[in-house]
Amino acid sequence: MDSISNMSPSELDEHFLRRSFDVARRALANGNHPFGAILVDQNRKVLIETENGYMPAHDGTAHAERLLATQACTTLDPDVVKGATLYSSAEPCAMCAGAIYWAGIGRLVYGLSEHRLRTITGNHPENPTLDLPCREVFASGQRATEVLGPLLEDEAEALHAGVWNR
């Protein structure tokens, strides 16, 4: 494991974003769509990791970010959540952005943009992607959510190679 104690803020963001990519790969290996999310506190400690949970129930609402937001706001102190960063392999859809907002997560870093995801998935019945930037969802709210992304987008896109044309 890399030592993170001497990393710059941008190096930390890339480190933890790549860790969300690892969770996305694990989701795919477990028979789900390749999406993953992690929540990291201000002390650089990973608090929660969630894979996409579409299977086995075909739950279209079981996106990794939504599952993480639910777990965060039901198990963690609100001040911890507010100071934490959610790292997501892909830009949260409108549903997930809403969940992040309602959970009170203060910062988001994502890999693959929703727009680019839509070009990959097309009109796949298991992922009829909403091309609505999460920034627009957050901007309509009453509290700020800091957003960084897309970041490492080519690496994030590679997670989806061959998945949506099966």
Side-chain angles (χ1 to χ4, degrees), residues 20 23 34-39 48-53 61-73 86-101 103 105 108-112 114 117 134 138:
S20 78
V23 176
F35 298 100
I38 66 170
L39 188 68
I48 301 172
E49 287 189 357
T50 53
E51 301 174 17
N52 177 275
T61 68
H63 295 186
E65 305 92 339
R66 205 270 310 151
L67 294 170
L68 185 147
T70 297
Q71 188 176 344
C73 70
L86 189 157
Y87 292 90
S88 178
S89 60
E91 180 176 1
C93 71
M95 172 187 70
C96 292
I100 291 164
Y101 174 82
I105 297 168
L108 165 70
V109 178
Y110 68 86
L112 184 63
E114 187 81 347
L117 176 64
C134 67
F138 296 136

Side-chain angles (χ1 to χ4, degrees), residues 42-149:
Q42 291 180 321
N43 298 316
R44 304 174 179 181
K45 179 183 176 197
V46 176
L47 302 172
I48 301 172
E49 287 189 357
T50 53
E51 301 174 17
N52 177 275
Y54 179 75
M55 294 299 284
H58 298 273
D59 182 354
T61 68
H63 295 186
E65 305 92 339
R66 205 270 310 151
L67 294 170
L68 185 147
T70 297
Q71 188 176 344
C73 70
T74 59
T75 64
L76 299 172
D77 182 273
D79 288 333
V80 171
V81 175
K82 181 181 179 181
T85 300
L86 189 157
Y87 292 90
S88 178
S89 60
E91 180 176 1
C93 71
M95 172 187 70
C96 292
I100 291 164
Y101 174 82
W102 286 109
I105 297 168
R107 184 169 184 262
L108 165 70
V109 178
Y110 68 86
L112 184 63
S113 70
E114 187 81 347
H115 181 75
R116 194 156 160 188
L117 176 64
R118 186 173 182 166
T119 65
I120 297 165
T121 62
N123 193 25
H124 195 284
E126 293 180 3
N127 196 30
T129 304
L130 292 165
D131 193 0
L132 176 63
C134 67
R135 284 176 175 88
E136 289 185 31
V137 176
F138 296 136
S140 67
Q142 296 181 39
R143 66 172 162 249
T145 304
E146 181 184 343
V147 179
L148 177 62

